[in-house]
PDB file of all heavy atoms in Angstrom:
ATOM      1  N   ASP A  42     172.078 107.129  39.477  1.00 94.00           N
ATOM      2  CA  ASP A  42     171.313 107.305  40.728  1.00 94.00           C
ATOM      3  C   ASP A  42     170.707 108.745  40.902  1.00 94.00           C
ATOM      4  O   ASP A  42     169.863 108.830  41.548  1.00 94.00           O
ATOM      5  CB  ASP A  42     172.120 107.065  42.025  1.00 94.00           C
ATOM      6  CG  ASP A  42     172.601 105.718  42.198  1.00 94.00           C
ATOM      7  OD1 ASP A  42     171.558 104.739  42.082  1.00 94.00           O
ATOM      8  OD2 ASP A  42     173.687 105.389  42.528  1.00 94.00           O
ATOM      9  N   LEU A  43     171.248 109.612  40.214  1.00 95.00           N
ATOM     10  CA  LEU A  43     170.908 111.012  40.352  1.00 95.00           C
ATOM     11  C   LEU A  43     169.453 111.326  40.248  1.00 95.00           C
ATOM     12  O   LEU A  43     168.916 112.008  40.976  1.00 95.00           O
ATOM     13  CB  LEU A  43     171.734 111.977  39.389  1.00 95.00           C
ATOM     14  CG  LEU A  43     172.966 112.696  40.134  1.00 95.00           C
ATOM     15  CD1 LEU A  43     173.653 113.405  38.990  1.00 95.00           C
ATOM     16  CD2 LEU A  43     172.584 113.505  41.208  1.00 95.00           C
ATOM     17  N   PRO A  44     168.820 110.756  39.027  1.00 96.00           N
ATOM     18  CA  PRO A  44     167.243 111.051  39.022  1.00 96.00           C
ATOM     19  C   PRO A  44     166.493 110.515  40.203  1.00 96.00           C
ATOM     20  O   PRO A  44     165.615 111.217  40.677  1.00 96.00           O
ATOM     21  CB  PRO A  44     166.892 110.224  37.713  1.00 96.00           C
ATOM     22  CG  PRO A  44     168.134 110.222  36.899  1.00 96.00           C
ATOM     23  CD  PRO A  44     169.383 110.012  38.049  1.00 96.00           C
ATOM     24  N   LYS A  45     166.892 109.205  40.754  1.00 96.00           N
ATOM     25  CA  LYS A  45     166.152 108.786  41.874  1.00 96.00           C
ATOM     26  C   LYS A  45     166.447 109.612  43.109  1.00 96.00           C
ATOM     27  O   LYS A  45     165.526 109.919  43.977  1.00 96.00           O
ATOM     28  CB  LYS A  45     166.568 107.267  42.103  1.00 96.00           C
ATOM     29  CG  LYS A  45     165.812 106.609  43.200  1.00 96.00           C
ATOM     30  CD  LYS A  45     166.132 105.236  43.450  1.00 96.00           C
ATOM     31  CE  LYS A  45     165.420 104.511  44.588  1.00 96.00           C
ATOM     32  NZ  LYS A  45     165.770 103.079  44.727  1.00 96.00           N
ATOM     33  N   VAL A  46     167.652 110.037  43.444  1.00 96.00           N
ATOM     34  CA  VAL A  46     168.123 110.647  44.614  1.00 96.00           C
ATOM     35  C   VAL A  46     167.379 112.007  44.606  1.00 96.00           C
ATOM     36  O   VAL A  46     166.749 112.525  45.686  1.00 96.00           O
ATOM     37  CB  VAL A  46     169.552 110.918  44.635  1.00 96.00           C
ATOM     38  CG1 VAL A  46     170.041 111.801  45.789  1.00 96.00           C
ATOM     39  CG2 VAL A  46     170.307 109.564  44.859  1.00 96.00           C
ATOM     40  N   THR A  47     167.424 112.829  43.492  1.00 97.00           N
ATOM     41  CA  THR A  47     166.741 114.168  43.539  1.00 97.00           C
ATOM     42  C   THR A  47     165.264 114.036  43.612  1.00 97.00           C
ATOM     43  O   THR A  47     164.645 114.848  44.233  1.00 97.00           O
ATOM     44  CB  THR A  47     167.111 114.827  42.245  1.00 97.00           C
ATOM     45  OG1 THR A  47     166.860 114.014  41.019  1.00 97.00           O
ATOM     46  CG2 THR A  47     168.663 115.267  42.288  1.00 97.00           C
ATOM     47  N   GLU A  48     164.752 112.833  43.010  1.00 97.00           N
ATOM     48  CA  GLU A  48     163.202 112.810  43.091  1.00 97.00           C
ATOM     49  C   GLU A  48     162.760 112.364  44.541  1.00 97.00           C
ATOM     50  O   GLU A  48     161.795 112.865  45.110  1.00 97.00           O
ATOM     51  CB  GLU A  48     162.777 111.715  42.125  1.00 97.00           C
ATOM     52  CG  GLU A  48     161.287 111.339  42.128  1.00 97.00           C
ATOM     53  CD  GLU A  48     160.482 112.595  41.820  1.00 97.00           C
ATOM     54  OE1 GLU A  48     160.932 113.445  41.074  1.00 97.00           O
ATOM     55  OE2 GLU A  48     159.362 112.808  42.396  1.00 97.00           O
ATOM     56  N   LEU A  49     163.629 111.574  45.258  1.00 97.00           N
ATOM     57  CA  LEU A  49     163.252 111.268  46.616  1.00 97.00           C
ATOM     58  C   LEU A  49     163.334 112.553  47.477  1.00 97.00           C
ATOM     59  O   LEU A  49     162.478 112.759  48.293  1.00 97.00           O
ATOM     60  CB  LEU A  49     164.233 110.205  47.185  1.00 97.00           C
ATOM     61  CG  LEU A  49     164.026 108.805  46.852  1.00 97.00           C
ATOM     62  CD1 LEU A  49     165.225 107.998  47.224  1.00 97.00           C
ATOM     63  CD2 LEU A  49     162.846 108.400  47.676  1.00 97.00           C
ATOM     64  N   CYS A  50     164.375 113.478  47.172  1.00 97.00           N
ATOM     65  CA  CYS A  50     164.455 114.653  47.911  1.00 97.00           C
ATOM     66  C   CYS A  50     163.283 115.629  47.665  1.00 97.00           C
ATOM     67  O   CYS A  50     162.692 116.135  48.612  1.00 97.00           O
ATOM     68  CB  CYS A  50     165.828 115.401  47.527  1.00 97.00           C
ATOM     69  SG  CYS A  50     167.204 114.517  48.176  1.00 97.00           S
ATOM     70  N   ARG A  51     162.902 115.699  46.439  1.00 97.00           N
ATOM     71  CA  ARG A  51     161.664 116.629  46.095  1.00 97.00           C
ATOM     72  C   ARG A  51     160.375 116.092  46.744  1.00 97.00           C
ATOM     73  O   ARG A  51     159.655 116.787  47.293  1.00 97.00           O
ATOM     74  CB  ARG A  51     161.525 116.679  44.541  1.00 97.00           C
ATOM     75  CG  ARG A  51     162.443 117.687  43.963  1.00 97.00           C
ATOM     76  CD  ARG A  51     162.023 117.969  42.407  1.00 97.00           C
ATOM     77  NE  ARG A  51     162.225 116.774  41.620  1.00 97.00           N
ATOM     78  CZ  ARG A  51     163.397 116.425  41.038  1.00 97.00           C
ATOM     79  NH1 ARG A  51     164.426 117.272  41.117  1.00 97.00           N
ATOM     80  NH2 ARG A  51     163.405 115.288  40.235  1.00 97.00           N
ATOM     81  N   GLU A  52     160.289 114.796  46.787  1.00 97.00           N
ATOM     82  CA  GLU A  52     159.203 114.075  47.322  1.00 97.00           C
ATOM     83  C   GLU A  52     158.884 114.393  48.758  1.00 97.00           C
ATOM     84  O   GLU A  52     157.880 114.491  49.281  1.00 97.00           O
ATOM     85  CB  GLU A  52     159.276 112.490  47.066  1.00 97.00           C
ATOM     86  CG  GLU A  52     158.090 111.679  47.368  1.00 97.00           C
ATOM     87  CD  GLU A  52     158.367 110.204  47.267  1.00 97.00           C
ATOM     88  OE1 GLU A  52     158.959 109.906  46.140  1.00 97.00           O
ATOM     89  OE2 GLU A  52     158.210 109.342  48.143  1.00 97.00           O
ATOM     90  N   HIS A  53     160.055 114.491  49.466  1.00 97.00           N
ATOM     91  CA  HIS A  53     160.145 114.852  50.928  1.00 97.00           C
ATOM     92  C   HIS A  53     160.419 116.259  51.238  1.00 97.00           C
ATOM     93  O   HIS A  53     160.632 116.590  52.408  1.00 97.00           O
ATOM     94  CB  HIS A  53     161.071 113.834  51.678  1.00 97.00           C
ATOM     95  CG  HIS A  53     160.688 112.356  51.519  1.00 97.00           C
ATOM     96  ND1 HIS A  53     161.028 111.576  50.570  1.00 97.00           N
ATOM     97  CD2 HIS A  53     160.005 111.712  52.411  1.00 97.00           C
ATOM     98  CE1 HIS A  53     160.587 110.362  50.781  1.00 97.00           C
ATOM     99  NE2 HIS A  53     159.841 110.402  51.940  1.00 97.00           N
TER     100      HIS A  53
END
Side-chain angles (χ1 to χ4, degrees):
D42 288 316
L43 264 176
K45 181 178 178 180
V46 171
T47 52
E48 181 56 35
L49 279 170
C50 289
R51 281 191 293 272
E52 185 181 315
H53 292 91

